[in-house]
Amino acid sequence: MRSRFFTRIQKRSLPLRIMAVLALAITLIVPQGSTHASAFVAPGSPGVLAEGDVIYQVLVDRFSNGNTANDNFGYGDYNPSNLGMYHGGDWQGLTNHLQYIKDLGVTAIWISPVSKQQPLSRDGTEASYHGYFTNDFATPNEHFGSRTDLQNLVNSAHALGLKMILDVVPNHTADYLLGTSTTYSPTTYAPAAPLNNSALFHHAGDCLFYGSETQAQLEVCDLGGLDDLDQSNSTVDTYLKNTYKDWVQGIGFDGIRVDAARSIPQTWLQSFETTMGVPTFGEIFDGNINYVSSYQNYEWGVLDFPTFFTARDALSADGNLNNLSGLFAQDYLYPHVNRVETFLDNHDRARFLARASDNYQRLRTALTFLLTARGIPVIYYGTEQADNGNMNPYEVPIANKDNRKDLPSFSETGTIYKHIQRLNAIKKAYPALQIGTQREMWTDTSVYGFSRRVDTTGAEAMTILSDSWDTQTRTIPLRAESTIAVGTVLTNLMNTVDTVVVQAGGSTGKQISVALGEHEAKVYVPGTPVAYTPPTRVITTIRVHYNVGWGNRITLRGDSDPFRWTQPIETRNTAADVWEYQLERFSAGQSFQFKPLINDVTWSAGSNFTGTGGTTIDIYPTF
């Protein structure tokens, strides 16, 4: 496999060949990984995955259809109206819209697995559009395009300064062996050679995830029924490493995400990363920091599920922000905490907005937290377009398919796109937000604050956020480590007309007084940044005036997203007889229909109510 890569290099021009050799020599002496120096940098690449990067995660099938010829091969796996089937997205479609991703301000793209798939699940109800039903690891997924198409995608991304991350699936193939069976039935229903030998797999049955399984059991059971490979077998070990090395070094990827890493022995993950020559980060689907952090002793990074669970629950529903304090107090457990991959949305969990009742301001605060806190943020495609996952907040053990809709738009003018764009711009401009050490400044139920500081230079930025509906004012001490002087003016990068002055006093001798509006987050820095004013919010407020009595509640249903006639939206009780719901999805002047219900059972009497976007709508229903 390796010879194919070097053959390509030899055919290139002499200057490029020299550049590749120099890049290789440099990376051999510059530490990049958790246990070794990065051994490979693709020609033309901006570099391997590194601290300070921001990743955009793409489900290729749901992003853009660039070539309709690869949509339907007659396997019964193509149906754009079914979220469980192929929709037509491909590598050409992604290539066509790389500028859209570049303009968002991210620095890397994580794409779906590239290998050939078994078209459908064993029961025929789900297609392999996601890339986790592998049939042939060495062959491209024909729905996504050819190897040439993939090469063109990677080269085009590199030309724009974007790094490329490959999603690898070394834990399992598709589900060919039923239960604990060791026999393929029929014999042709099997993975491609050389893995078409059942002796290369474990046969322990399905993973149960009841909390009673040992680590050893998790490493041999079938995840979702998918056949679990035995990485200790020399045939499996050699095949997986050689095949993925050809994808990584032959195509030119800059990093790797390892699917189901908790189900793979840690020592194998370590040897796999060494063989690949680029940083890897594993999916450790668990909220226990002690457990998750241990994997960073074997991989460069790790997906930060503990932060995901804690931050999502705290920021999507007015949770207790002291929980963030408890989370970050355990950062010392990570060997390299600025290399953990943090996220709010992904392909397996419900969309943040579905859990946050479609509240854009909550999402803005959560994104400000994500993109200024320690770690490498991952933006899941569609978050920038305010995808609310069909307002389905529920989760099943493997995936909530409502978070896998087609990307609805490539607009760069939406309020959430602009917010992420601004956060990426300030992250790029301020090293403290890339590599700074994070230290807590303030914690209570409604307000949390932290500093990011590069201790070798004194560069510092401070993030203060609120999850309250009401204005919160706090006087917050600067950290003892801070070298920012009394009298310094600090400017909020999310709205530069907002400034505070460092005053004498407090536990460290220096403090600031900060006022935070409804679900607001601010990022303060010294100096004089270029002026920035955030887009004006177009807020629609519905106020239902009705006293439902103690223990009862009002919900809303309607005809326009986020409202649906088939499922409720909860309102907030602001007075004895007032129930309120606020949203920004409607444009000014947009008309919509809705009705309130008591306890989501009893509908209001009479006709639907009509609302207008950008206004406050007071209704006085009867029931």
Side-chain angles (χ1 to χ4, degrees):
M1 295 290 184
R2 189 178 182 184
S3 62
R4 293 168 63 186
F5 165 68
F6 284 108
T7 298
R8 289 190 185 91
I9 292 296
Q10 289 165 4
K11 291 179 180 177
R12 296 180 186 272
S13 62
L14 180 61
L16 186 56
R17 209 167 68 220
I18 293 173
M19 287 172 61
V21 172
L22 287 173
L24 178 61
I26 291 170
T27 53
L28 284 171
I29 61 173
V30 179
Q32 295 285 349
S34 56
T35 57
H36 67 279
S38 178
F40 173 75
V41 176
S45 165
V48 295
L49 180 66
E51 293 179 20
D53 277 325
V54 179
I55 299 170
Y56 185 79
Q57 181 191 356
V58 177
L59 282 191
V60 172
D61 180 63
R62 303 302 161 86
F63 190 74
S64 176
N65 191 340
N67 180 8
T68 58
N70 58 33
D71 290 354
N72 191 352
F73 295 100
Y75 306 138
D77 59 351
Y78 174 72
N79 183 352
S81 66
N82 185 334
L83 284 172
M85 298 294 168
Y86 278 95
H87 286 196
D90 48 36
W91 294 323
Q92 184 59 57
L94 184 52
T95 304
N96 293 344
H97 293 285
L98 284 173
Q99 191 63 50
Y100 164 86
I101 299 174
K102 174 70 173 180
D103 290 347
L104 188 62
V106 301
T107 61
I109 305 173
W110 155 16
I111 64 171
S112 308
V114 299
S115 299
K116 181 181 178 181
Q117 301 288 297
Q118 186 64 29
L120 292 165
S121 58
R122 172 178 282 274
D123 63 8
T125 62
E126 181 181 0
S128 53
Y129 66 91
H130 40 63
Y132 301 116
F133 296 169
T134 310
N135 169 268
D136 183 347
F137 286 86
T139 300
N141 184 337
E142 59 189 339
H143 279 292
F144 294 166
S146 66
R147 187 177 175 106
T148 299
D149 293 328
L150 179 60
Q151 185 70 72
N152 183 49
L153 166 63
V154 172
N155 290 348
S156 299
H158 284 169
L160 288 173
L162 293 166
K163 302 174 184 181
M164 292 297 293
I165 297 168
L166 176 66
D167 197 333
V168 304
V169 193
N171 179 65
H172 55 260
T173 64
D175 182 12
Y176 297 106
L177 295 164
L178 182 61
T180 58
S181 174
T182 60
T183 302
Y184 294 112
S185 180
T187 56
T188 55
Y189 189 63
L195 299 182
N196 56 341
N197 177 354
S198 66
L200 304 179
F201 295 81
H202 297 119
H203 305 282
D206 290 355
C207 301
L208 301 177
F209 296 112
Y210 289 158
S212 58
E213 287 134 320
T214 65
Q215 181 60 36
Q217 289 171 323
L218 287 174
E219 291 174 5
V220 299
C221 60
D222 290 352
L223 181 64
L226 302 170
D227 297 348
D228 195 77
L229 285 160
D230 180 4
Q231 291 82 16
S232 69
N233 181 286
S234 60
T235 298
V236 174
D237 175 72
T238 301
Y239 175 72
L240 289 175
K241 287 176 179 174
N242 285 348
T243 301
Y244 275 125
K245 185 173 183 179
D246 180 59
W247 283 120
V248 171
Q249 298 194 8
I251 297 295
F253 285 93
D254 310 298
I256 293 171
R257 179 264 189 181
V258 181
D259 180 65
R262 69 177 295 195
S263 299
I264 301 170
Q266 291 177 326
T267 52
W268 193 87
L269 293 170
Q270 184 177 43
S271 66
F272 179 76
E273 181 178 275
T274 300
T275 303
M276 296 303 102
V278 298
T280 72
F281 59 93
E283 178 195 29
I284 315 301
F285 201 141
D286 197 284
N288 184 319
I289 296 179
N290 281 281
Y291 179 63
V292 173
S293 64
S294 70
Y295 281 82
Q296 209 184 22
N297 293 309
Y298 302 91
E299 292 191 272
W300 186 87
V302 63
L303 277 163
D304 189 356
F305 276 90
T307 291
F308 165 72
F309 288 122
T310 303
R312 180 192 66 173
D313 293 348
L315 298 173
S316 67
D318 297 343
N320 186 346
L321 294 192
N322 283 315
N323 292 338
L324 296 178
S325 179
L327 169 80
F328 291 132
Q330 301 176 76
D331 272 358
Y332 71 92
L333 293 169
Y334 291 102
H336 302 283
V337 74
N338 276 341
R339 297 178 187 174
V340 301
E341 282 66 36
T342 56
F343 57 98
L344 293 172
D345 285 327
N346 77 357
H347 57 295
D348 287 332
R349 302 291 89 188
R351 289 276 184 178
F352 182 92
L353 276 177
R355 296 177 66 95
S357 201
D358 206 50
N359 188 296
Y360 285 17
Q361 188 67 352
R362 290 187 198 267
L363 178 58
R364 288 190 195 92
T365 293
L367 287 166
T368 303
F369 163 81
L370 179 73
L371 283 151
T372 61
R374 89 294 185 271
I376 297 174
V378 180
I379 306 298
Y380 183 49
Y381 87 102
T383 297
E384 77 281 6
Q385 296 296 340
D387 189 328
N388 62 21
N390 290 330
M391 291 299 287
N392 177 5
Y394 302 108
E395 293 173 344
V396 293
I398 297 298
N400 171 344
K401 290 185 178 63
D402 285 308
N403 69 4
R404 301 177 177 184
K405 294 158 55 183
D406 295 350
L407 186 70
S409 168
F410 294 100
S411 170
E412 299 186 11
T413 62
T415 179
I416 302 301
Y417 186 98
K418 287 293 187 184
H419 188 76
I420 296 173
Q421 191 177 55
R422 174 59 179 175
L423 287 166
N424 281 326
I426 67 173
K427 192 174 189 74
K428 181 179 180 180
Y430 291 88
L433 297 177
Q434 302 170 37
I435 60 172
T437 299
Q438 182 167 314
R439 298 181 176 97
E440 186 173 280
M441 295 178 66
W442 186 270
T443 182
D444 62 40
T445 301
S446 300
V447 175
Y448 189 76
F450 58 87
S451 161
R452 297 283 306 280
R453 186 173 188 270
V454 181
D455 290 336
T456 55
T457 66
E460 186 174 3
M462 306 168 201
T463 298
I464 317 293
L465 57 93
S466 167
D467 74 347
S468 174
W469 289 93
D470 303 314
T471 297
Q472 300 290 314
T473 301
R474 300 289 189 275
T475 299
I476 300 174
L478 270 61
R479 291 285 311 190
E481 296 86 353
S482 179
T483 49
I484 296 174
V486 171
T488 301
V489 175
L490 304 180
T491 301
N492 174 19
L493 293 173
M494 304 312 295
N495 186 349
T496 55
V497 301
D498 171 31
T499 62
V500 296
V501 178
V502 178
Q503 304 287 344
S507 58
T508 63
K510 296 180 288 188
Q511 59 188 11
I512 53 175
S513 291
V514 179
L516 298 160
E518 167 240 327
H519 297 107
E520 186 174 20
K522 299 183 175 184
V523 184
Y524 285 109
V525 295
T528 308
V530 175
Y532 174 78
T533 302
T536 301
R537 297 171 61 192
V538 179
I539 299 172
T540 303
T541 303
I542 298 173
R543 293 195 297 219
V544 181
H545 296 260
Y546 191 86
N547 191 336
V548 295
W550 179 257
N552 298 303
R553 75 193 202 281
I554 290 286
T555 61
L556 298 172
R557 298 193 183 208
D559 68 347
S560 301
D561 191 22
F563 296 115
R564 287 160 176 78
W565 292 121
T566 55
Q567 66 189 72
I569 282 182
E570 299 290 337
T571 60
R572 183 172 65 98
N573 188 215
T574 60
D577 62 347
V578 180
W579 297 80
E580 182 175 292
Y581 178 67
Q582 183 185 99
L583 72 159
E584 295 180 53
R585 189 168 293 274
F586 295 144
S587 59
Q590 179 179 342
S591 179
F592 62 97
Q593 301 282 307
F594 70 98
K595 289 197 82 171
L597 298 86
I598 296 176
N599 297 330
D600 203 43
V601 173
T602 306
W603 294 80
S604 64
S607 301
N608 298 337
F609 291 92
T610 299
T612 302
T615 67
T616 296
I617 305 141
D618 288 285
I619 64 170
Y620 299 82
T622 58
F623 291 90

